[in-house]
Amino acid sequence: MVEQHAAAQRYALSFTSGALLMREAAIIAPIYLRERDWARVRAVVSGENLLQTRTVASGFRLAREVIQRLAVLTDDEIKLLIEATSTERGHLLWAAACRRYDLVGEFAEEVVRERFLLLTPSLDHNDFDSFVRSKSLWHSELSELKDSTRLKLRSNVFRMLNEAGLLSSRGLIQSAMMSQRVVSALSARTPNDLRFFPTAHDAVERAQP
């Protein structure tokens, strides 16, 4: 029983392709609203090479990765993604990555957001490495990672943060300037998906006695 529970809790660690994949998501999202079937969407995208990859295999892998992230969004969130501004799209896709990958979501909540709230907004690779080491005590799949894979995962997490506007090029955590419609969409979930974002409002609340 313990072994089965441990297996069920293994982290998904396939976010080694791209970062937020905003261009690809903008291509695939409208196809889903037309087809309403993710298997059909993948067949269309791969068959027509809509992501313009060099090989069939790379196109299939990239389409699968984008679809796995979009599939955790609701239909209303996908509609919003299509008409969103670049900033809004970045926030929605960051939330999607956090939902799809527990490791990313926990890093966002336990490290990125917490450091911002504690007014220590610098973030570097050592913070991610320390976080992974702490999680590896309960997740053997992390301690089994090749160094090259771990570095790729770390690089993509930082690229995601940068593309979502949550981390500056100088490594400073930035408050998420979220539109009201994105806030409404993400706050509708339980637990609230705003926990994945550093926000000035939360920082003010934390500072109050």
Side-chain angles (χ1 to χ4, degrees):
M1 182 68 70
V2 173
E3 290 180 355
Q4 291 177 349
H5 179 72
Q9 296 300 313
R10 287 176 67 87
Y11 285 126
L13 299 169
S14 62
F15 53 97
T16 55
S17 300
L20 287 185
L21 304 171
M22 289 197 283
R23 180 188 72 86
E24 293 82 0
I27 292 171
I28 292 177
I31 300 173
Y32 168 74
L33 290 185
R34 184 185 74 205
E35 302 291 342
R36 301 288 178 168
D37 180 275
W38 287 116
R40 175 61 183 159
V41 170
R42 185 162 60 185
V44 170
V45 172
S46 299
E48 300 179 16
N49 192 23
L50 296 181
L51 301 184
Q52 300 179 338
T53 56
R54 293 183 179 179
T55 67
V56 173
S58 60
F60 183 85
R61 287 194 300 270
L62 185 57
R64 180 178 59 189
E65 178 61 26
V66 179
I67 287 170
Q68 286 179 341
R69 298 189 197 183
L70 291 180
V72 302
L73 299 176
T74 66
D75 285 5
D76 285 342
E77 288 170 337
I78 291 176
K79 291 176 184 177
L80 176 56
L81 181 75
I82 292 171
E83 62 184 48
T85 65
S86 177
T87 298
E88 289 174 326
R89 186 170 296 144
H91 291 155
L92 286 168
L93 289 174
W94 171 248
C98 290
R99 291 181 196 173
R100 171 69 183 94
Y101 298 108
D102 288 340
L103 184 70
V104 177
E106 291 170 14
F107 182 69
E109 184 176 5
E110 298 173 17
V111 180
V112 179
R113 184 169 179 268
E114 190 64 19
R115 288 184 67 84
F116 182 79
L117 294 177
L118 291 174
L119 303 181
T120 54
S122 62
L123 187 75
D124 61 30
H125 290 174
N126 289 331
D127 296 313
F128 182 83
D129 292 343
S130 296
F131 169 77
V132 169
R133 282 195 299 272
S134 68
K135 294 295 182 179
S136 67
L137 297 175
W138 295 275
H139 293 269
S140 61
E141 66 273 22
L142 294 177
S143 58
E144 295 166 0
L145 284 174
K146 295 180 180 179
D147 286 344
S148 59
T149 302
R150 180 179 54 80
L151 293 176
K152 185 65 174 177
L153 295 176
R154 186 181 70 185
S155 174
N156 280 344
V157 169
F158 275 74
R159 285 179 61 197
M160 288 182 199
L161 285 165
N162 183 263
E163 291 181 8
L166 305 179
L167 187 68
S168 74
S169 59
R170 298 172 55 198
L172 296 178
I173 301 168
Q174 302 180 137
S175 177
M177 306 302 291
M178 305 172 73
S179 69
Q180 186 55 53
R181 59 181 181 172
V182 170
V183 169
S184 296
L186 299 183
S187 62
R189 292 175 61 89
T190 303
N192 192 315
D193 274 7
L194 297 180
R195 71 189 190 279
F196 299 134
F197 295 83
T199 64
H201 175 73
D202 286 341
V204 171
E205 285 193 346
R206 175 70 70 90
Q208 292 177 346

